[in-house]
Amino acid sequence: MVSLTELQVDRWPVRKPLSRGEADALTREIMVLKKQLNAVVLAHNYQVPEIQEVADFVGDSLGLSQQAASTDADVIVFCGVHFMAETAKILNPGKIVVLPDKDAGCSLEESCPAEKLRALQQTNPNFYTVTYINCSAGVKALSDVICTSGNAVKIVNACPPERDLLFVPDENLGAWVTEQTGRPMTLWRGNCYAHVEFQRESLLLVTRQFPEAKVVVHPESLREVRDLADMVCSTEKMITYCKTNAARQFVVVTESGIIHRMQKECPGKEFICAPSVDVMRAPTDPCRCSECKFMKMNTLAKVRDCMKNLAPRLELPSELIARARLPIDRMLEISARPG
Ligand code: 13P
Ligand code: SF4
């Protein structure tokens, strides 16, 4: 059994942190490049703090796609993972979209190749495909509507009642949406490798240690973990919840990059990263932070480089852009509806 004192040891990321001087110099270069290029820097909540600090907007997948849809910048610098930059390109075919590391993928995207989805769709002509934004442009092009964790419930509630819903590619998000909406769905068997590492038993240890803390859980997590939550929601809604809730302590069950904004926007409150390994089974490695290895491929130096070189750059065939755009536009339209 792991002692609670042992659990308190913070095993913060092994990445070598930038010195203040290095970070400041890179930040200055990025600010100059932003002006020269008329560029906007968009960053996901999971990015490292120094990237969040140079960004013009930091948010969840929904907020980022809304920003990408409305920007008048000439260049979009997308600090997140590949499918996010791809979505920005689909929404802005005429603009230059660059990303710090083109290999920053996603286990959900990997789990769902377009040809396998097409084969499943062919088994039921009444399928209506609701696709989590964490997928390739090819999968988006096969979808009826896209959703994010921030709007999935609203999107599913707006789906035609006479159709059989097929939800891809996150089975955990899909199961949670069914719990919220009562709408049965066929679920693709994909998951987020980082969120399924959160285990019920280790989370219970933390909640016993912090009995006053509210527990916020991302819906990509397993059901038995979600069941321990005070709030299940997207990363952006987590920040709003922590800001507005009277509690002083929060156990955060998602990627640890989000803690930066939480600490910044909720002064005086304490955030505890849930352990990302099962401490009952791996007592010598009770890591307190979960990191998405893909999100953490981006560095401040790579942000500067992609702006300097205008590469890696997102390019997609125009017919693919046209097909993938329809379900994204449908999502944005439903999301903007009141209620
Ligand atoms: P949100 O920020 O939209 O909640 O998504 C989490 C995520 O895992 C993105 O890859
Ligand atoms: Fe994909 Fe999970 Fe990383 Fe999000 S946290 S980008 S879902 S692997």
Side-chain angles (χ1 to χ4, degrees):
M1 177 77 180
V2 182
S3 80
L4 295 179
T5 328
E6 229 177 312
L7 244 186
Q8 272 165 358
V9 178
D10 252 342
R11 300 271 315 276
W12 214 237
V14 276
R15 260 174 299 105
K16 184 180 152 286
L18 284 179
S19 72
R20 194 62 267 154
E22 285 171 317
D24 288 348
L26 285 166
T27 300
R28 278 196 297 275
E29 273 191 81
I30 289 169
M31 292 306 177
V32 171
L33 283 163
K34 263 204 231 184
K35 277 220 175 73
Q36 280 172 359
L37 299 169
N38 185 27
V40 66
V41 178
L42 305 179
H44 189 267
N45 286 323
Y46 296 160
Q47 292 297 285
V48 291
E50 55 271 21
I51 292 182
Q52 294 192 28
E53 289 301 315
V54 295
D56 298 290
F57 176 84
V58 184
D60 67 357
S61 311
L62 177 60
L64 289 165
S65 25
Q66 287 164 334
Q67 290 291 321
S70 63
T71 184
D72 54 12
D74 297 319
V75 175
I76 300 174
V77 182
F78 208 111
C79 305
V81 290
H82 189 273
F83 76 82
M84 296 179 170
E86 209 173 52
T87 307
K89 182 66 183 176
I90 294 165
L91 288 163
N92 295 280
K95 293 188 199 289
I96 294 174
V97 178
V98 291
L99 70 170
D101 193 316
K102 67 174 176 26
D103 296 324
C106 170
S107 65
L108 281 165
E109 176 181 357
E110 268 169 39
S111 78
C112 189
E115 56 292 358
K116 285 200 175 152
L117 174 59
R118 192 195 305 275
L120 178 59
Q121 286 172 323
Q122 283 166 355
T123 64
N124 180 354
N126 198 39
F127 267 148
Y128 187 88
T129 306
V130 184
T131 302
Y132 190 31
I133 199 162
N134 298 36
C135 65
S136 66
V139 165
K140 288 185 176 76
L142 293 172
S143 305
D144 291 296
V145 65
I146 301 300
C147 71
T148 72
S149 56
N151 63 15
V153 169
K154 190 171 187 180
I155 299 291
V156 166
N157 278 329
C159 288
E162 70 284 3
R163 302 289 295 273
D164 299 325
L165 298 193
L166 170 61
F167 190 93
V168 305
D170 189 340
E171 60 184 338
N172 294 304
L173 176 66
W176 176 73
V177 172
T178 288
E179 288 161 30
Q180 302 303 303
T181 59
R183 189 93 195 247
M185 301 193 287
T186 300
L187 303 179
W188 188 269
R189 295 283 164 216
N191 60 45
C192 162
Y193 91 94
H195 282 87
V196 298
E197 276 187 31
F198 295 114
Q199 301 290 315
R200 183 182 171 86
E201 290 311 311
S202 42
L203 182 56
L204 277 170
L205 278 179
V206 178
T207 54
R208 268 183 231 131
Q209 190 178 348
F210 299 95
E212 302 299 320
K214 295 287 179 196
V215 179
V216 289
V217 175
H218 196 276
E220 289 173 3
S221 309
L222 299 168
R223 179 172 188 165
E224 64 261 29
V225 171
R226 295 197 308 271
D227 284 347
L228 299 176
D230 293 291
M231 179 57 124
V232 178
C233 59
S234 75
T235 55
E236 195 59 35
K237 290 183 182 171
M238 281 184 183
I239 294 170
T240 309
Y241 178 80
C242 295
K243 271 188 197 163
T244 51
N245 195 282
R248 309 305 300 164
Q249 289 180 323
F250 298 86
V251 176
V252 181
V253 188
T254 194
E255 216 270 359
S256 57
I258 197 173
I259 303 289
H260 178 66
R261 267 190 74 197
M262 288 176 165
Q263 285 174 334
K264 206 168 138 181
E265 296 180 31
C266 310
K269 297 192 177 184
E270 189 186 353
F271 299 96
I272 299 115
C273 273
S276 62
V277 292
D278 184 348
V279 292
M280 313 300 280
R281 271 180 287 167
T284 54
D285 188 22
C287 177
R288 292 285 299 275
C289 56
S290 172
E291 290 212 330
C292 169
K293 62 183 175 189
F294 304 113
M295 287 279 180
K296 292 319 197 246
M297 288 170 81
N298 297 334
T299 63
L300 202 55
K302 288 186 195 175
V303 175
R304 186 267 322 267
D305 291 347
C306 78
M307 294 175 81
K308 244 172 133 172
N309 305 328
L310 288 181
R313 197 185 291 203
L314 250 296
E315 303 286 4
L316 291 169
S318 50
E319 46 316 337
L320 179 59
I321 288 185
R323 280 186 290 125
R325 175 141 191 172
L326 295 173
I328 301 174
D329 281 345
R330 192 168 287 144
M331 168 187 85
L332 293 171
E333 184 275 307
I334 296 169
S335 255
R337 291 181 195 166

